[in-house]
Amino acid sequence: FDSATAVAEDLLEHVRAVSSPGGGSARPRRLTASVGVAAFTGEDGLSGEDVLVNADLAMYDAKDLGGNRLAFFSPHMTEVLTERLRVEAGLRHAIEHDGLRLHYQPIMDARTGRVSSVEALVRWADPERGLVSPLQFIGIAEETGLIVPLGEWVLNEACAQARRWLDAGWGEIPVAVNLSARQF
């Protein structure tokens, strides 16, 4: 790894030193690079393609850590990617096959002590994990674009529930829904 590290660090240093011209109306641009390093020993049973995939995983790890840096592949990265892909596939299935639930948190009026509105909170009802907190899937939904169909489902379901409450004689109950900036 020593020679690969030296080459990667030299590359990063050169990229840091480069910027676009600052004259005229063009503003200077700062360039960055994220470098992933993976080893090939010939004894580990990996193909050249496997090593490239591992280096790519390490490069994305470098980006996730803020970019403009070097990261080395570790088997843990494969586990993280596998879990992320499992969450993405499970969430996609949940959106398409009624695997999401809305819970309504009451918002109280401090003066009257009565419920003034509710906030719709999405939960994923995973058959293996049970109710999954949004902290475990919203980030992946944002990264993959699943946040748009997820948000549409939440909005439609919250509106339908508000209508059911109105039809049941409960009156108008304002419902707050959190939306992603991607939906706008």
Side-chain angles (χ1 to χ4, degrees), residues 93-154:
H93 185 269
I95 292 168
E96 295 170 358
H97 297 96
D98 197 34
L100 301 173
R101 303 289 176 265
L102 282 186
H103 293 205
Y104 296 91
Q105 180 172 324
I107 299 172
M108 308 297 288
D109 183 326
R111 291 172 292 161
T112 65
R114 302 182 76 137
V115 173
S116 60
S117 62
V118 296
E119 180 180 8
L121 303 171
V122 67
R123 298 294 183 267
W124 169 18
D126 184 81
E128 296 171 14
R129 301 177 189 192
L131 285 181
V132 180
S133 165
L135 294 174
Q136 296 176 308
F137 65 86
I138 292 295
I140 292 172
E142 287 276 1
E143 292 170 17
T144 61
L146 286 173
I147 197 68
V148 174
L150 173 66
E152 288 174 3
W153 181 88
V154 169

Side-chain angles (χ1 to χ4, degrees), residues 66-90:
N68 208 32
R69 65 180 60 220
L70 165 68
F72 294 92
F73 172 77
S74 75
H76 175 71
M77 291 175 184
T78 303
E79 294 167 15
V80 169
L81 177 63
T82 300
E83 176 60 16
R84 184 185 180 285
L85 292 173
R86 193 170 82 83
V87 168
E88 180 184 348

